[in-house]
Amino acid sequence: MTSRHAPFHPIIYVRGYAMTPSEIDQTSADPFCGFNLGSTVYRAVAEKDRQPRKFIFESPVVRLASDFGYRDVYENGHDILDPEWADEAPPLASRSIIIYRYYDEASRLLGVGSVPSIETFASKLGELILKVRELVCGNPANGIAAADFRCYLVAHSMGGLVCRGLLQNAKLDKKGAAKLVDKFFTYATPHNGIELLGANTPSWLSLYDINNFNRDSLAKFLDLAEVYKATGRVDWLPESRFPSERVFCMVGTNRLDYEVALGLSRTFAGHGSDGLVRIENATLNGLNTQGKLCAPCAKAFTYRAHSGFFGIVNSEEGYQNLVRFLFGDLRIDIWLDIDDIALPAELQQAEQGGQAINALYQIELLAAPRGKLWFLSRRTSEEDSVACLAHKEWKSAPKKNGSLYLSTLVLARRARVNPRRPSLACNLTLNVRVPDYEIERRLWVNQHFEGSYLFRNAVVLDVVPAQNGQDWQIRYAWQDQGVSPASEPLDPQALRNGKQVVRIPFSSGTRPGITGQLRLVLSAWNPDAQMSE
């Protein structure tokens, strides 16, 4: 039975890594462990003699309260969840934000100054979830039975690994708390560990528990020893433990704003990172019972650093993806299926003559909802966040390797700018860069123009929810073409019980060029709560 409060379940926030004793003390001294920080940035204005306009993001805590009526668990200076206050604690509402304060014990201010193991952090997260269930279900005003209780885990950086320990390793979840988690959202989590100068964090680097980010250690912690032995990676989520569809990975791509260790961190992390975590290591993949990749977890990208005032948690982009994933209405998984790639004529002749041709195609995607001042996902070459496909890889298996998952969007009815306009709309900009072509490993520059594109266009999606007995409708329009309907109407029952695919063809019509289709996999999100009409 679905809770009548769905999709507004309690949110448990799990903060990231604190290294030194002073950082641990600062973490413990902050009631929200950094989740209460916002940011202020400038936006340009039309008049040259005017100051740029400020754009303020108040913080996730403030916005969850103002937008959705969530409350913290602090009352008269006490933590409702503190066991010492159990007899006096007021009722806990379903719409509550709970901060998992796992560093308190390690703090010299509030604890004993000794840092527990990451395994302890994961196990005690399970205890916290069970305590939240007890208090929420014990509040008659909520009307939630224990069997119907669900919660959300929202984690930053190492906090995502702590959550994965609970969700994936049965030894760390002896009381079955993982089954109470409805969705799992991560900001900048090093799902495949942290690399220093391109190498795995050394296992001997035990100072401040830095070796927690070593892949060998993570494989044991996450119960992935066999998979790690076969793949060399630990960014796997077994479907038997937690469904990959219920996970969203928010990836930061701006290393320049990360100032930790006077900028040394971003130097060690290198390009293609948020200043600490490499982009390629910040996402997860579902693993079926046969040990095969079954589906990538949802992901989106934003030009934000790992942390700080201009970090990924303190961003409008991160917040919007979070609340849409938790509470939104229509999920859209965006895939690019490449049907054909036309080489320049000279290279085509060389390839037909048996010469080895290679190139790296860089695919950019920018997704922006109508009437908003931010991107839900932003993948560009300059920010090292593009999807890449090597020409040799595509030629070896065009159908398999030419299908690329790009990002996931969740559209929300409450985000409509004009209440009288019922549709949900977003703009998807798709660009494919002209690569540096090579013949027999030698750079081919005869007809190369730097900064050129094989394809560059944007498509506007307009989705009208079912109403007045009508089916869902979807239309799309490339900027240089007219409006087209989807090949068939969207069936509410199909969306509710499964997925419906909309294919949007594109072609550059040139040589060199590219032909294919955007494949949008649509599904109802929170169907019982939001799509019941």
Side-chain angles (χ1 to χ4, degrees), residues 137-416:
C137 296
N139 182 357
N142 292 327
I144 300 175
D148 300 327
F149 173 84
R150 295 294 182 272
C151 67
Y152 300 129
L153 294 182
V154 178
H156 174 231
S157 193
M158 189 186 81
L161 298 176
V162 172
C163 294
R164 285 182 63 195
L166 175 74
L167 297 176
Q168 294 185 219
N169 192 337
K171 294 179 181 178
L172 303 177
D173 182 30
K174 294 181 179 178
K175 295 185 178 179
K179 68 178 183 293
L180 305 178
V181 178
D182 185 75
K183 297 184 188 117
F184 173 37
F185 186 99
T186 68
Y187 294 100
T189 289
H191 288 295
N192 192 47
I194 288 178
E195 297 178 3
L196 304 176
L197 297 176
N200 187 17
T201 299
S203 59
W204 51 261
L205 194 55
S206 58
L207 181 66
Y208 301 132
D209 294 323
I210 294 175
N211 56 357
N212 280 339
F213 304 107
N214 168 269
R215 278 191 281 272
D216 300 83
S217 301
L218 285 173
K220 298 175 184 176
F221 170 63
L222 299 170
D223 194 23
L224 290 173
E226 294 302 317
V227 179
Y228 175 61
K229 189 184 300 183
T231 65
R233 301 185 68 87
V234 293
D235 49 356
W236 303 106
L237 179 67
E239 293 282 325
S240 59
R241 292 294 299 163
F242 195 82
S244 59
E245 188 179 55
R246 312 298 286 181
V247 180
F248 195 108
C249 301
M250 195 71 206
V251 183
T253 63
N254 179 10
R255 60 189 285 270
L256 299 179
D257 277 344
Y258 195 58
E259 298 294 342
V260 168
L262 300 177
L264 284 177
S265 173
R266 63 173 179 245
T267 300
F268 285 122
H271 291 282
S273 75
D274 61 10
L276 180 63
V277 180
R278 295 193 60 78
I279 293 170
E280 63 186 13
N281 292 334
T283 56
L284 270 174
N285 297 287
L287 203 65
N288 65 21
T289 53
Q290 288 76 44
K292 303 292 185 181
L293 170 66
C294 58
C297 297
K299 63 184 177 183
F301 300 77
T302 182
Y303 190 58
R304 289 286 187 148
H306 185 78
S307 64
F309 278 107
F310 302 109
I312 190 169
V313 176
N314 313 320
S315 69
E316 186 77 48
E317 298 91 337
Y319 171 77
Q320 289 296 334
N321 277 284
L322 169 67
V323 297
R324 289 160 183 265
F325 181 66
L326 298 185
F327 315 133
D329 301 295
L330 183 69
R331 173 173 174 152
I332 305 176
D333 296 311
I334 305 170
W335 292 74
L336 177 70
D337 294 332
I338 298 172
D339 296 330
D340 187 42
I341 298 176
L343 291 168
E346 184 179 332
L347 295 184
Q348 183 69 33
Q349 292 176 0
E351 187 173 59
Q352 291 173 347
Q355 292 184 281
I357 306 298
N358 205 10
L360 185 67
Y361 302 104
Q362 300 179 50
I363 296 121
E364 301 178 333
L365 178 78
L366 296 93
R370 179 173 57 205
K372 307 300 181 183
L373 301 177
W374 27 262
F375 293 104
L376 282 172
S377 191
R378 170 171 156 162
R379 306 189 68 174
T380 69
S381 299
E382 290 79 7
E383 296 163 12
D384 300 316
S385 55
V386 290
C388 293
L389 177 65
H391 183 75
K392 285 183 178 179
E393 183 182 8
W394 177 74
K395 288 288 289 187
S396 66
K399 189 170 183 179
K400 175 184 175 183
N401 296 330
S403 182
L404 303 171
Y405 165 61
L406 300 181
S407 197
T408 291
L409 311 176
V410 181
L411 301 182
R413 294 186 189 187
R414 65 174 300 279
R416 286 177 295 192

Side-chain angles (χ1 to χ4, degrees), residues 356-525:
I357 306 298
N358 205 10
L360 185 67
Y361 302 104
Q362 300 179 50
I363 296 121
E364 301 178 333
L365 178 78
L366 296 93
R370 179 173 57 205
K372 307 300 181 183
L373 301 177
W374 27 262
F375 293 104
L376 282 172
S377 191
R378 170 171 156 162
R379 306 189 68 174
T380 69
S381 299
E382 290 79 7
E383 296 163 12
D384 300 316
S385 55
V386 290
C388 293
L389 177 65
H391 183 75
K392 285 183 178 179
E393 183 182 8
W394 177 74
K395 288 288 289 187
S396 66
K399 189 170 183 179
K400 175 184 175 183
N401 296 330
S403 182
L404 303 171
Y405 165 61
L406 300 181
S407 197
T408 291
L409 311 176
V410 181
L411 301 182
R413 294 186 189 187
R414 65 174 300 279
R416 286 177 295 192
V417 179
N418 185 348
R420 292 174 296 180
R421 191 170 185 176
S423 64
L424 307 173
C426 64
N427 181 285
L428 303 179
T429 300
L430 176 66
N431 306 322
V432 182
R433 290 255 190 169
V434 169
D436 295 339
Y437 295 105
E438 293 180 349
I439 304 179
E440 298 290 344
R441 301 178 66 88
R442 295 191 305 274
L443 189 64
W444 182 80
V445 295
N446 291 8
Q447 295 295 323
H448 179 79
F449 295 94
E450 187 68 16
S452 298
Y453 290 85
L454 295 179
F455 180 82
R456 193 175 194 182
N457 210 337
V459 61
V460 176
L461 294 180
D462 196 71
V463 183
V464 181
Q467 55 185 345
N468 301 324
Q470 300 294 317
D471 288 343
W472 281 62
Q473 300 174 21
I474 182 169
R475 298 183 302 170
Y476 61 85
W478 288 105
Q479 284 186 344
D480 61 351
Q481 300 173 15
V483 177
S484 303
S487 56
E488 57 186 71
L490 303 182
D491 181 352
Q493 291 304 315
L495 288 173
R496 179 187 294 274
N497 300 321
K499 302 179 186 299
Q500 192 160 349
V501 177
V502 172
R503 303 178 191 276
I504 303 178
F506 68 89
S507 176
S508 56
T510 59
R511 178 178 290 278
I514 187 169
T515 300
Q517 53 192 326
L518 277 175
R519 173 164 49 95
L520 309 181
V521 182
L522 285 72
S523 56
W525 204 235

Side-chain angles (χ1 to χ4, degrees), residues 10 71-74 80-81 89-98 131-142 149:
R71 296 183 57 187
D72 61 50
V73 295
Y74 305 128
I80 293 174
L81 295 163
L92 186 64
S94 180
R95 298 195 194 196
S96 292
I97 298 173
I98 298 97
K131 181 63 176 178
V132 172
R133 179 180 66 172
E134 175 188 332
L135 294 178
V136 168
C137 296
N139 182 357
N142 292 327
F149 173 84

Side-chain angles (χ1 to χ4, degrees), residues 55-100:
F55 182 84
I56 297 173
F57 172 63
E58 304 95 311
S59 84
V61 167
V62 172
R63 288 291 292 277
L64 283 168
S66 62
D67 293 352
F68 299 99
Y70 272 79
R71 296 183 57 187
D72 61 50
V73 295
Y74 305 128
E75 187 80 18
N76 296 323
H78 294 282
D79 183 344
I80 293 174
L81 295 163
D82 191 333
E84 295 182 2
W85 208 40
D87 296 334
E88 308 173 51
L92 186 64
S94 180
R95 298 195 194 196
S96 292
I97 298 173
I98 298 97
I99 308 298
Y100 178 30

